[in-house]
Amino acid sequence: MLTLGLSIAPVFLASRYSISVPVPFLLAATLFIGGSIIMGEAFGFYERVWWWDLALHGSSAIGFGLIGFLFIFMLFEGDRFAAPPVAIAFLSFCLAVTVGSIWEIFEYAMDSIFGLNMQKSGLDDTMGDLIVNGLGAIIGAVSGYFYLSGREKRLFAPFIGQFVDANRRLYRRTKEKLRR
């Protein structure tokens, strides 16, 4: 239930703060929810498909890297000159890794307090998840770096452009600076 609540939270927050969420972001969130709750838990993919947990951790890390980039970039009001692209990308990476680490702490706490088996094989599962979280965070952060560096067609940079275009009021200084 907590995972479902956390998965749906972005839609409610977007509505509350009048943020336009492009279709690819909603599709990714829907696929993640389906992959984790329906396929993973209900149909037992976590136990039957050895890489399922790693794939979900990787995809969520990419997502948090992108969301972190968009949030940090918004704090600079879309001014790519207020902070170097590498600094914004680094902060995005740090945010995504932090979220992944907090999730691993949550899994450990649930296993310890309620006797669940969220960590599956213990340390090996946790370390694998953290490594994949780091790799996904790098992909998300590098996508943001590409966006700021004018290489908007690489990795997930096109999705960043869609979000910025749909929410211009949050990125006031962006205007034509990024379209050089």
Side-chain angles (χ1 to χ4, degrees), residues 15-174:
S15 174
R16 169 103 169 100
Y17 294 105
S18 301
I19 296 172
S20 178
V21 182
V23 172
F25 282 82
L26 295 173
L27 180 62
T30 303
L31 289 174
F32 182 81
I33 293 167
S36 63
I37 297 173
I38 298 169
M39 302 299 286
E41 294 294 339
F43 290 106
F45 273 45
Y46 287 124
E47 287 81 26
R48 296 186 328 175
V49 181
W50 70 266
W51 49 266
W52 195 256
D53 185 50
L54 294 175
L56 290 174
H57 275 278
S59 62
S60 69
I62 292 170
F64 280 115
L66 295 172
I67 291 167
F69 170 82
L70 289 165
F71 178 72
I72 293 163
F73 189 46
M74 181 185 65
L75 292 177
F76 289 105
E77 295 180 327
D79 187 354
R80 72 176 181 175
F81 301 107
V86 71
I88 295 175
F90 177 72
L91 292 173
S92 304
F93 168 79
C94 291
L95 185 127
V97 168
T98 299
V99 171
S101 298
I102 289 171
W103 180 258
E104 291 305 314
I105 292 169
F106 171 76
E107 284 185 353
Y108 173 77
M110 292 296 103
D111 289 355
S112 297
I113 296 168
F114 298 110
L116 300 176
N117 187 22
M118 293 180 74
Q119 291 179 303
K120 310 299 181 221
S121 59
L123 182 60
D124 289 339
D125 177 73
T126 299
M127 293 311 298
D129 291 349
L130 290 174
I131 291 167
V132 170
N133 284 337
L135 294 173
I138 288 171
I139 292 170
V142 169
S143 296
Y145 177 82
F146 284 155
Y147 176 76
L148 290 179
S149 299
R151 295 177 271 191
E152 299 163 352
K153 303 269 189 261
R154 297 195 177 172
L155 291 177
F156 295 96
F159 301 117
I160 293 171
Q162 282 183 344
F163 189 91
V164 170
D165 289 343
N167 295 283
R168 278 285 170 206
R169 66 181 178 72
L170 300 175
Y171 302 93
R172 289 181 284 225
R173 294 185 194 165
T174 302

